[in-house]
Amino acid sequence: MITGFNMSLKRLFDICAAFFGLIVLSPIFLVLVVLVRRSSPGGALFLQERVGRREVPFVCIKFRTMAAGSPNVGSHDAVSSWITPLGRKLRAYKLDELPQLINVLRGEMSFVGPRPCLPTQHDVIAARRKRKVFSVRPGITGLAQLQGIDMSTPEALAEADARYIQKAGFWQDMILVISTLAGRGTGDAATK
């Protein structure tokens, strides 16, 4: 369970790691902005409303991986032909997630937590609400993502999210971060 001390330690880690990450990775950000803009028409960033802690909406920031004008749907509902060739590479190496460091610094997200859903994913919201998953900040990575559970299975997702919250602690988060960096898990991949 995320206690007051663990929550404070988690937030301190989030702030320090996100700040450090944004500084160190800024050259990569600039290169990716140029590559995304040159690879297909449209902006480099993809801004999408998501459901955050206490069900407060926020704007999630990612590098754009789909063609401009693609429908605003969850990744598991996306048609793979909408994803640009560069977008496939960004997703494979999770580079599309890097701008979420800004969300972490703002306090809208954490490095580890339940993946944020869309406001239109009513089944996911209901399942998570029932298990009090919205009591924590959503994460860039999470237990469900590493176990290959995506938003297409709301009950299984909410159960994994609730398990994470019950066992959450600073060292558990570090294990999940390292597992993500090592390339484990698939999370919400386009399946159509």
Side-chain angles (χ1 to χ4, degrees), residues 53-75:
R53 184 178 182 199
R54 298 187 186 104
E55 296 188 50
V56 174
F58 72 99
V59 176
C60 186
I61 309 166
K62 297 176 85 171
F63 281 118
R64 183 175 56 81
T65 60
M66 294 197 285
S70 296
N72 189 12
V73 297
S75 292

Side-chain angles (χ1 to χ4, degrees), residues 115 124 128 144-145 149-151 153-162:
R115 291 292 295 145
V124 173
R128 284 178 160 179
Q145 183 182 26
I149 303 168
D150 70 18
M151 306 241 177
T153 55
E155 292 296 327
L157 177 70
E159 286 171 14
D161 293 338

Side-chain angles (χ1 to χ4, degrees), residues 27-123:
I28 294 172
F29 271 71
L30 291 173
V31 169
L32 290 176
V33 164
V34 171
L35 290 174
V36 171
R37 297 223 35 202
R38 293 183 82 187
S39 69
S40 66
L45 296 177
F46 175 67
L47 308 175
Q48 188 179 54
E49 186 177 46
R50 300 286 180 99
V51 181
R53 184 178 182 199
R54 298 187 186 104
E55 296 188 50
V56 174
F58 72 99
V59 176
C60 186
I61 309 166
K62 297 176 85 171
F63 281 118
R64 183 175 56 81
T65 60
M66 294 197 285
S70 296
N72 189 12
V73 297
S75 292
H76 69 278
D77 288 325
V79 176
S80 59
S81 63
W82 298 344
I83 302 169
T84 65
L86 176 62
R88 287 184 211 297
K89 292 176 184 167
L90 294 178
R91 285 178 174 217
Y93 295 102
K94 299 177 176 78
L95 294 174
D96 60 318
E97 311 275 353
L98 288 178
Q100 290 176 27
L101 292 174
I102 296 166
N103 293 117
V104 172
L105 203 53
R106 287 177 175 169
E108 299 159 333
M109 292 180 71
S110 179
F111 270 92
V112 181
R115 291 292 295 145
C117 62
L118 298 170
T120 56
Q121 292 175 309
H122 304 294
D123 293 344

